[in-house]
Amino acid sequence: MLPFTRDQFLANLVSYNEGIWPVQVAAFGLGLLAVALLFWRPLMADRLIAGILAIMWLWTGVAYHWFHFTQINKAALVFGALFVAQGAILAYVGLVRNQLRFGQSFGSAAMVGVGFVTYAAVLYPLLGIWTGHAYPEMPVFGVTPCPVTIFTFGFFLFAKPPLSRWLLAIPFIWSLIGGSAAFLLGVPQDWLLLVSGVVAVPLVVACRSGANLDGLKS
């Protein structure tokens, strides 16, 4: 059993969305920029993408979990810490160490990545509206946990190996936590979250293993 009702969850979302407006617009703009950087490759493209993902995780951890979700669920203190930690890891690996590289690919992992990114940014809100949860009574791209996680998995599937396994741990944990809660709360657009980690992590690991084998052969 969850420590809050579905009505309380939706009311908390309304309060959050109304309280942070128009940050949602900026978040969507950052998401579009991240996608554009996969094709338009300026010198700092990889660092910019990593920075955008880090901002989304840090914002969601602090603004959503700590400042709003804690009002109905004290476990959000822990959830927020996980999101802040993921944002810090992304910033360290991608910005400080410059060890997170992205590139275009036509393999199976990239195709799934396209699907995840498209779902998080476009299909996710449309499905929410179709099922009767229009704005502001809906999780919004870039500023709430589930679409941020799906979007991040999408970009990890575009990442060039090696990809640090530390980057995968927290998104995978949240895919199980948030995805399970989606069924209890009746948020169908979040159902994909439950399988996103199970699908994305093996594909990322397989790409990493394949790169290691290629390195051995050469």
Side-chain angles (χ1 to χ4, degrees):
M1 290 292 293
L2 296 172
F4 52 88
T5 66
R6 183 172 179 271
D7 288 342
Q8 287 175 318
F9 173 72
L10 295 175
N12 189 257
L13 273 175
V14 171
S15 174
Y16 173 65
N17 282 322
E18 291 178 346
I20 68 169
W21 177 262
V23 174
Q24 298 92 330
V25 178
F28 191 78
L30 286 175
L32 289 178
L33 176 60
V35 172
L37 288 168
L38 285 174
F39 303 92
W40 171 55
R41 302 292 300 169
L43 184 62
M44 298 286 288
D46 295 321
R47 278 194 163 108
L48 288 171
I49 293 172
I52 289 169
L53 295 177
I55 288 170
M56 289 182 175
W57 281 83
L58 290 169
W59 175 276
T60 303
V62 175
Y64 177 78
H65 279 303
W66 284 348
F67 286 176
H68 282 81
F69 198 34
T70 50
Q71 296 173 13
I72 60 173
N73 186 8
K74 296 305 179 185
L77 291 170
V78 177
F79 300 156
L82 289 175
F83 272 70
V84 169
Q86 179 69 15
I89 295 169
L90 280 163
Y92 178 72
V93 174
L95 293 174
V96 178
R97 299 295 299 274
N98 195 25
Q99 293 178 341
L100 186 54
R101 305 295 178 86
F102 301 92
Q104 299 177 55
S105 173
F106 297 98
S108 58
M111 294 300 99
V112 176
V114 169
F116 281 0
V117 168
T118 303
Y119 183 86
V122 180
L123 300 180
Y124 185 99
L126 292 178
L127 182 58
I129 294 170
W130 181 64
T131 55
H133 298 291
Y135 182 87
E137 197 179 61
M138 63 185 298
V140 178
F141 170 80
V143 293
T144 51
C146 297
V148 165
T149 303
I150 296 170
F151 188 72
T152 301
F153 273 136
F155 269 84
F156 284 170
L157 290 166
F158 282 109
K160 297 179 180 178
L163 178 70
S164 172
R165 292 181 179 177
W166 288 105
L167 288 169
L168 297 171
I170 292 174
F172 181 75
I173 291 170
W174 185 256
S175 73
L176 301 179
I177 296 173
S180 299
F183 282 92
L184 297 174
L185 292 169
V187 184
Q189 63 266 43
D190 284 345
W191 293 351
L192 178 67
L193 178 67
L194 189 59
V195 299
S196 63
V198 177
V199 172
V201 172
L203 283 173
V204 171
V205 172
C207 290
R208 175 175 176 162
S209 299
N212 290 338
L213 288 174
D214 290 341
L216 290 174
K217 290 178 182 178
S218 62

